[in-house]
């Protein structure tokens, strides 16, 4: 089967050209001084993109590793954990918490909405001893965002630690872990950073380190251990890794971070906001329905489109890939058959690329007998881009 011409997915997504070049660099010994410096520089750049003065950890495994490490490091059996659920990943995190023996309190909303910070406040009032609040910033499977800017401070006022899944939001949404009280943030390179999958990019507050040190069940001497990275690598003067880092992936991640920093953190995020707004306008003008209940809760990394009645999502996507060479994403988890996702992250958020995604889904649905005004969708999207492009 041929490769797609365009990968406009929900992640892994198209990587920046410099990431691709970086991944082809010679393989270095992990204690080669050149690689040691690359690793340390990648950490510094990650902290910059996170806008944190705290520690960051580059864990060697897909973001799910970082999320599990955060849960295991911070949550003990019997702890009250308030888990916010507005989508598939939020639900999933709750399963881990329960597995760990936490007393799980869930604040759940339909998967096309966002959690109301007022409801978080109410849940914390009902459960005054809550130790942890966990929240997904950008629910990639439904293209929605939660107001972590408000939720973080609510949790802190109640003395809870905050674990934030920012896997797809880092670099595309505004994110300020230190100011918003997000104790552990976990991201991955394969979403908005447009880097290779395979690493967890974690930020950790001092309070979270204290809590982990005080937790006798926090993993040590384990692939799931954040403390190993703190005690052996960070506190040890950054000279000894707990285990061999993924040399190529680190190099790829550094290139992705370079792209963000060179463009500017705000400009990079604004590029995603623009692409998302143009895509939403295009979807609506084509006569299709956005999955998000309102524009306010729609995120910047993907646009989720409700599958029209009677349409088989996998069939349309296979056709779009086969006929037009464009790889798009279906829903994920329980939303798999219910929506299409147009990814606009990294290079897919740049220039007019989103017009390709809109044309592909529009024409693909039209080919299956759905009445879609493809041209009007493209016009509307270009209208948003043109308006945004006029200097103020
Ligand atoms: C991608 C993603 C993850 C990581 O999950 P994978 O499916 O293994 O990539 C976790 N949380 C969110 C919000 C994500 O978008």
């Amino acid at each position: 089967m041929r490769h797609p011409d365009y990968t406009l997915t929900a992640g892994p997504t198209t990587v920046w050209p410099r990431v691709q070049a970086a991944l082809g660099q010679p393989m270095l010994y992990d204690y080669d001084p050149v690689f040691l410096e690359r690793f340390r520089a990648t950490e510094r750049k990650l902290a910059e993109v996170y806008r944190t003065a705290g520690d960051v950890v580059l864990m060697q495994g897909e973001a799910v590793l970082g999320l599990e490490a955060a849960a295991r490091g911070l949550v003990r059996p019997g702890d009250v954990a308030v888990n916010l659920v507005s989508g598939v990943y939020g639900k999933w995190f709750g399963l881990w918490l329960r597995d760990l023996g936490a007393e799980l309190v869930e604040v759940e909303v339909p998967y096309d909405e966002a959690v109301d910070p007022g409801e978080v406040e109410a849940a914390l009032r009902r459960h005054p001893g809550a130790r942890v609040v966990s929240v997904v910033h950008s629910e990639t499977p439904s293209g929605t965002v939660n107001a972590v800017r408000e939720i973080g401070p609510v949790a802190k006022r109640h003395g809870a630690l905050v674990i934030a899944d920012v896997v797809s939001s880092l670099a595309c949404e505004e994110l300020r872990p230190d100011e918003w009280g997000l104790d552990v943030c976990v991201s991955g390179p394969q979403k908005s950073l447009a880097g290779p999958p395979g690493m967890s990019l974690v930020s950790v507050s001092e309070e979270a380190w204290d809590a982990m040190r005080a937790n006798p069940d926090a993993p040590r001497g384990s692939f799931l251990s954040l403390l190993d990275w703190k005690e052996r690598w960070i506190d040890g003067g950054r000279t000894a890794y707990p285990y061999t880092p993924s040399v190529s992936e680190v190099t790829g991640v550094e290139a992705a971070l370079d792209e963000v920093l060179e463009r500017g953190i705000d400009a990079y995020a604004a590029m995603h906001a623009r692409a998302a707004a143009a895509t939403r306008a295009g979807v609506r003008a084509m006569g299709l329905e956005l999955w998000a209940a309102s524009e306010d809760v729609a995120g910047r990394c993907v646009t989720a489109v409700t599958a029209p009645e009677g349409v088989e999502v996998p069939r349309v996507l296979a056709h779009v890939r086969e006929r037009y060479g464009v790889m798009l994403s279906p829903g994920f988890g329980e939303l798999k058959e219910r929506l299409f996702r147009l990814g606009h992250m990294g290079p897919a958020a740049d220039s007019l690329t989103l017009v390709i995604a809109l044309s592909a889904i529009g024409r693909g649905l039209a080919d299956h007998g759905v009445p879609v005004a493809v041209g009007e969708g493209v016009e509307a999207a270009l209208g948003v881009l043109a308006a945004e492009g006029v200097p103020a």
Side-chain angles (χ1 to χ4, degrees), residues 174-389:
E174 190 184 357
L175 182 63
R176 297 184 180 267
D178 299 1
E179 288 161 42
W180 301 350
L182 311 177
D183 293 288
V184 178
C185 291
V186 180
S187 191
Q190 78 275 26
K191 306 281 170 82
S192 302
L193 290 171
M199 289 188 69
S200 291
L201 312 175
V202 189
S203 76
V204 188
S205 73
E206 276 311 311
E207 201 183 329
W209 284 133
D210 289 343
M212 273 184 245
R213 284 192 208 96
N215 176 10
D217 300 329
R220 284 175 196 267
S222 158
F223 201 60
L224 279 166
S225 177
L226 282 161
L227 281 174
D228 286 355
W229 281 98
K230 175 65 172 162
E231 291 167 358
R232 292 171 67 176
W233 171 254
I234 298 174
D235 294 346
R238 294 183 168 84
T239 51
Y241 313 104
Y243 45 79
T244 304
S246 319
V247 173
S248 308
E249 274 149 29
V250 170
T251 316
V253 169
E254 185 185 19
L257 294 167
D258 282 339
E259 186 77 30
V260 178
L261 293 171
E262 271 175 31
R263 284 171 182 256
I265 299 170
D266 289 332
Y268 194 92
M271 169 178 80
H272 287 80
R274 191 165 53 242
T279 303
R280 288 197 298 272
V283 166
R284 279 200 315 262
M286 276 197 272
L288 297 170
E289 202 183 314
L290 294 173
W291 168 258
S294 74
E295 292 252 345
D296 295 344
V297 302
R300 297 176 178 176
C301 66
V302 303
T303 295
V305 181
T306 306
E309 270 303 299
V311 162
E312 284 176 49
V313 171
R315 224 170 113 161
V316 173
L317 289 178
H319 165 77
V320 164
R321 190 189 182 287
E322 168 76 21
R323 180 74 57 87
Y324 304 115
V326 180
M327 187 72 204
L328 302 172
S329 291
F332 180 68
E334 55 210 89
L335 302 177
K336 196 164 173 56
E337 310 267 314
R338 298 179 61 190
L339 40 86
F340 299 99
R341 287 181 300 161
L342 314 182
H344 27 74
M345 293 180 271
D350 210 2
S351 188
L352 301 183
T353 314
L354 62 98
V355 172
I356 295 170
L358 284 169
S359 310
I361 192 65
R363 186 65 226 190
L365 284 165
D367 293 346
H368 285 79
V370 180
V372 184
V374 183
E376 283 174 39
V378 170
E379 282 286 352
L382 290 173
V384 171
L385 295 176
E388 293 272 337

Side-chain angles (χ1 to χ4, degrees), residues 10 62-64 67 89 92 136 138-141 165 167-168 190-191 332:
E62 215 280 329
V64 167
L67 290 167
Y89 282 109
W92 194 3
V136 177
S138 158
E139 265 291 354
T140 327
D165 172 339
V167 174
S168 63
Q190 78 275 26
K191 306 281 170 82
F332 180 68

Side-chain angles (χ1 to χ4, degrees), residues 58-79:
L58 305 171
M59 292 184 94
Q60 320 297 304
E62 215 280 329
V64 167
L65 173 77
L67 290 167
E68 187 170 353
R72 288 188 189 276
L74 291 176
V75 180
R76 277 182 270 179
D79 280 348

